[in-house]
Amino acid sequence: MSHSNALVHFLRHVSFPPDPHLLPTALKSCPALPLARALHAAAVASGVAGDPFVASSLLHTYLRFGAAAAARAVFDRAPQKTVVGWSALAAAHASRGDADGAWRLLEEMRRGNGPGGGVEPNVITWNGLVSGFNRSGRARDAVVALARMHGEGLLRPDATGVSCALSATGDLGTEAIAVGEQLHGYAMKAGCRVDACVVTALIDMYGKCGRADEIVRVFDESRHMDVASCNALIAGLSRNTQVSEALRLFREFVARGVELNVVSWTSIVACCVQNGKDLEAVELFREMQAQGIEPNTVTIPCVLPAFANVAALMHGRSAHCFALRKGFLLDVYVCSALVDMYAKCGRIRNARTIFDVMPSRNVVSWNAMIGGYAMHGEAKNAVRLFDSMLMCKQKPDMVTFTCVLAACGQAGLTEEGRRYFKEMQHDHGISPRMEHYACMVTLLGRAGKLDEAYNLITEMPFEPDGCIWGSLLGSCRVHGNVDLADVAAENLFRLEPGNAGNYVLLSNIYASKKMWDGVNRVRAMMKDMGLKKEKGCSWIEIKNKVHMLLAGDDSHPMMTAITEKLKQLNIEMRRLGFVPSTDFVLHDVEEQEKDEILAVHSEKLAVALGLISTSPGTPLRVIKNLRICDDCHEAMKFISGFEGREISVRDTNRFHHFRDGKCSCGDYW
């Protein structure tokens, strides 16, 4: 029998009226507001409603259920208005975010309206205000409450108040760092710096205020290494991109036998994913399970992007099965992350299957699926799904239109892209942001409308960033427009002087036009600035293991066999008429040397490894950290044909699915 039914049954069958000792116990375990009102009626009927213990229990019970008016009515009828009752009411106002009401109640408390006169607030009163304001998102009021308490000089803030105020200070961000430092100083003087909650709050505050150095110092100076402070430390370092330090300390916690929980492991996994350490995230997730820590509905969406980023489809499927067994597929964020993972692993049909069976969807779900279609170049499906989204009365956001515009750009749907760009503003009231302009520049530039793309940039309502000029420079490479490339590059060098990719791209444009003076000039600029071209890196999953291949790196244990396979592939491709595309090779060297430079691109190494490590006919999935080059794109078409393999390559822009000598992009990329 449930608590509710048991209490109702009791009230109906007792042969004596409830007494002041029984009702407070019943109210404390009361599970629902209607039953609380019934118990209140029983108290009134039995004449014990005015008992101080019963009145206090009724007050707290009503506040627990959010029935503020009923709570105040009970309080007003109470013969004695204690500091406990006043404190509870004030804290309730603060928890609802009603700052004016909370401060008015504090003044009313001091004035008093009964025979006993006013009541002075105590530490519990102030802590209730600080904590309540903090929980309701009124961080500034929380800090003000503690400052008022301290300023009056009658009471000293304790560890509870200080830790709540520190949490609120962190929510205010870098602007409040001076307040946080003052609270830190007070905690040291008051002797509550050693309190575990204060230590955790200090670490959290400094992390949110961007002071990574102070995070570690506070942790090192404290004698606490409990799970709460460890979790705060990892989260703070992650927030400040100190992933290497976070990993080092986490390993230290594990070695020391700190009893870490699912929050700890989820935090370090999320830290790795957010800072580009995907392989480390995958390994930590496996280690977490080996330690007997079971993932939850937060862990799964955190780790799935890591599987997606390195094409670890088998790991992603395992996480999917785990989520299915645990009933996590009712969670919209888990399902949305699965949609995104399958799409990024090249399984767009699996992504759509998950999307179609979702019990509920939010804008993140729709964006994941539309973005997946855009990534695979399936613009028509993306547009159709966007129309379905509108029919389902789901309001699109800025990300939605970024996905739709990107899809139009991938497929050359210039007119449709223009229309959606206008509808976004006029029909949906969304002002274009930088990413939308970047999509439009790409859309127009890829279609050869470079002058229109440049005009759009000059008419933007804000200063274009590197992404905008990078989009134009990329289109100039496709269409060989040197003049506009110079303009775009000049702006990129000003905005991103340390980005080697921009210099390489301009040099490639010069190289395609045999403008070797320009190539040498750009190379000299890179040398003077100490810049080096980012190495190409590709990942391929073989037999549930992810392999990473680096261009020009021979450290892989199977490199001898990979090199031999590449030689065989080159011989076969040339026999079939393949001619290496050397237009974009950076250096002015002999053609044979250019061929050798192209032969070691990381995606070719990954495909060669896949061919020698899997049985004939097995599809290959490769992820690359850079754009695929023209030569590799053409080579993949040849290899897919004579090897009879489906080869999927995901670069930084989109998926290329090679099958029977053709690519899904139709060579429009």
Side-chain angles (χ1 to χ4, degrees):
M1 184 181 294
S2 69
H3 290 299
S4 177
N5 290 337
L7 285 168
V8 171
H9 180 78
F10 172 80
L11 288 171
R12 287 176 177 172
H13 292 86
V14 288
S15 57
F16 56 89
D19 62 36
H21 300 289
L22 175 65
L23 273 171
T25 302
L27 286 164
K28 188 175 181 180
S29 61
C30 181
L33 181 60
L35 187 56
R37 295 189 188 280
L39 288 168
H40 189 181
V44 172
S46 60
V48 297
D51 180 88
F53 292 105
V54 174
S56 179
S57 297
L58 282 168
L59 171 68
H60 284 87
T61 301
Y62 279 132
L63 289 176
R64 177 159 56 92
F65 292 122
R72 184 59 197 258
V74 169
F75 183 73
D76 287 341
R77 284 194 292 268
Q80 290 184 325
K81 294 176 174 55
T82 65
V83 68
V84 175
W86 284 112
S87 299
L89 285 173
H93 278 282
S95 297
R96 293 200 305 273
D98 180 11
D100 292 338
W103 294 124
R104 280 198 304 270
L105 201 67
L106 193 70
E107 295 306 314
E108 185 181 347
M109 171 184 183
R110 282 173 156 161
R111 288 197 312 269
N113 55 4
V119 177
E120 277 299 312
N122 60 13
V123 172
I124 295 173
T125 313
W126 288 106
N127 284 350
L129 287 171
V130 176
S131 176
F133 284 135
N134 189 34
R135 285 199 306 273
S136 64
R138 299 190 67 94
R140 199 172 299 278
D141 285 304
V143 175
V144 167
L146 192 82
R148 280 187 59 175
M149 173 190 183
H150 184 260
E152 291 182 1
L154 299 175
L155 298 168
R156 296 181 63 185
D158 62 4
T160 301
V162 170
S163 60
C164 287
L166 283 167
S167 176
T169 303
D171 291 337
L172 292 173
T174 53
E175 64 175 281
I177 185 62
V179 175
E181 289 172 338
Q182 289 175 354
L183 284 168
H184 189 176
Y186 173 81
M188 295 178 69
K189 291 177 182 177
C192 57
R193 187 195 60 166
V194 296
D195 182 88
C197 292
V198 172
V199 170
T200 301
L202 278 168
I203 294 171
D204 179 68
M205 182 274 293
Y206 279 123
K208 289 177 178 176
C209 291
R211 295 288 298 275
D213 54 335
E214 289 294 328
I215 299 174
V216 179
R217 188 168 72 84
V218 169
F219 183 80
D220 288 342
E221 289 178 353
S222 74
R223 290 191 287 270
H224 293 280
M225 194 175 277
D226 60 6
V227 67
S229 59
C230 290
N231 291 351
L233 181 68
I234 297 302
L237 291 171
S238 174
R239 188 178 286 113
N240 289 277
T241 67
Q242 302 288 315
V243 60
S244 297
E245 183 70 1
L247 277 168
R248 183 187 70 78
L249 289 169
F250 186 82
R251 293 297 183 195
E252 186 179 321
F253 301 153
V254 174
R256 290 193 182 186
V258 179
E259 292 188 11
L260 302 172
N261 57 19
V262 66
V263 177
S264 318
W265 287 91
T266 300
S267 294
I268 193 64
V269 167
C271 174
C272 290
V273 174
Q274 291 162 8
N275 291 280
K277 299 281 187 181
D278 297 304
L279 290 174
E280 289 85 348
V282 172
E283 185 57 37
L284 283 164
F285 182 71
R286 295 175 66 179
E287 188 178 336
M288 168 187 177
Q289 292 174 295
Q291 294 268 355
I293 306 295
E294 193 170 271
N296 59 18
T297 54
V298 178
T299 315
I300 299 299
C302 281
V303 76
L304 283 172
F307 299 149
N309 291 340
V310 296
L313 180 61
M314 294 306 296
H315 287 296
R317 282 176 170 164
S318 296
H320 182 184
C321 292
F322 176 83
L324 182 63
R325 291 197 307 272
K326 294 296 180 180
F328 292 171
L329 296 189
L330 296 175
D331 187 284
V332 67
Y333 294 102
V334 171
C335 287
S336 299
L338 282 169
V339 169
D340 182 69
M341 183 275 295
Y342 277 118
K344 287 179 177 175
C345 284
R347 298 289 181 163
I348 194 67
R349 301 293 167 260
N350 294 135
R352 184 58 192 259
T353 299
I354 298 291
F355 179 82
D356 286 340
V357 300
M358 287 179 69
S360 63
R361 304 184 187 103
N362 60 12
V363 68
V364 176
S365 319
W366 290 95
N367 291 347
M369 194 66 239
I370 295 171
Y373 278 135
M375 187 186 305
H376 285 263
E378 297 191 19
K380 291 183 178 178
N381 282 331
V383 168
R384 275 198 289 265
L385 192 63
F386 176 69
D387 292 337
S388 298
M389 179 183 186
L390 298 180
M391 290 177 63
C392 292
K393 306 300 183 185
Q394 175 66 61
K395 187 177 180 181
D397 63 6
M398 291 177 292
V399 177
T400 313
F401 280 100
T402 302
C403 295
V404 172
L405 292 173
C408 292
Q410 297 287 8
L413 303 180
T414 309
E415 292 305 318
E416 290 86 343
R418 285 194 184 106
R419 176 166 58 84
Y420 285 123
F421 189 66
K422 291 178 182 177
E423 287 181 1
M424 176 180 70
Q425 302 169 70
H426 300 146
D427 297 350
H428 300 278
I430 298 175
S431 298
R433 294 177 58 169
M434 201 73 77
E435 55 267 33
H436 302 117
Y437 279 103
C439 287
M440 287 303 296
V441 170
T442 301
L443 175 85
L444 296 168
R446 286 164 58 87
K449 302 180 184 299
L450 292 171
D451 289 336
E452 185 179 346
Y454 179 68
N455 290 336
L456 181 65
I457 293 174
T458 60
E459 295 168 0
M460 285 172 54
F462 34 72
E463 181 72 19
D465 66 357
C467 187
I468 298 290
W469 291 114
S471 297
L472 183 63
L473 186 61
S475 296
C476 290
R477 183 194 72 86
V478 173
H479 296 285
N481 189 319
V482 178
D483 292 336
L484 267 182
D486 285 332
V487 175
E490 183 180 347
N491 283 281
L492 283 168
F493 297 162
R494 174 177 55 84
L495 292 167
E496 303 173 347
N499 187 342
N502 297 325
Y503 296 86
V504 173
L505 188 51
L506 179 62
S507 184
N508 284 343
I509 295 172
Y510 287 147
S512 70
K513 297 293 186 180
K514 304 295 189 291
M515 298 171 62
W516 302 118
D517 288 343
V519 171
N520 292 331
R521 178 168 53 82
V522 175
R523 289 180 63 193
M525 292 170 64
M526 293 179 68
K527 185 176 181 181
D528 290 343
M529 298 183 67
L531 301 176
K532 291 185 179 180
K533 179 183 177 182
E534 183 181 1
K535 280 194 173 184
C537 180
S538 294
W539 295 266
I540 183 170
E541 184 182 41
I542 300 171
K543 297 175 183 177
N544 209 22
K545 181 180 179 182
V546 177
H547 296 257
M548 183 173 68
L549 287 303
L550 285 168
D553 180 21
D554 60 358
S555 62
H556 194 280
M558 295 183 67
M559 187 52 68
T560 302
I562 291 171
T563 303
E564 185 60 34
K565 182 63 177 178
L566 281 174
K567 290 179 181 177
Q568 296 173 11
L569 291 173
N570 283 330
I571 293 171
E572 184 64 18
M573 286 192 294
R574 287 180 183 277
R575 187 184 68 80
L576 294 172
F578 172 73
V579 178
S581 174
T582 58
D583 286 348
F584 296 110
V585 175
L586 185 61
H587 311 295
D588 179 15
V589 295
E590 294 297 326
E591 292 299 313
Q592 183 178 351
E593 190 177 343
K594 289 181 180 180
D595 292 354
E596 292 172 0
I597 293 171
L598 292 167
V600 293
H601 281 189
S602 63
E603 60 267 52
K604 286 182 180 176
L605 296 173
V607 167
L609 175 62
L611 290 172
I612 62 178
S613 304
T614 59
S615 55
T618 304
L620 303 178
R621 292 179 304 277
V622 175
I623 304 296
K624 188 180 179 184
N625 67 329
L626 303 173
R627 289 289 300 275
I628 188 172
C629 73
D630 295 62
D631 179 77
C632 287
H633 189 270
E634 197 65 22
M636 294 301 171
K637 291 197 291 186
F638 272 82
I639 295 171
S640 70
F642 65 74
E643 287 283 347
R645 298 286 193 117
E646 180 183 341
I647 303 172
S648 296
V649 178
R650 192 188 91 202
D651 66 9
T652 54
N653 195 45
R654 60 165 295 158
F655 259 102
H656 296 269
H657 298 288
F658 302 94
R659 182 186 299 167
D660 299 328
K662 297 179 181 179
C663 180
S664 60
C665 72
D667 294 335
Y668 187 85
W669 62 285

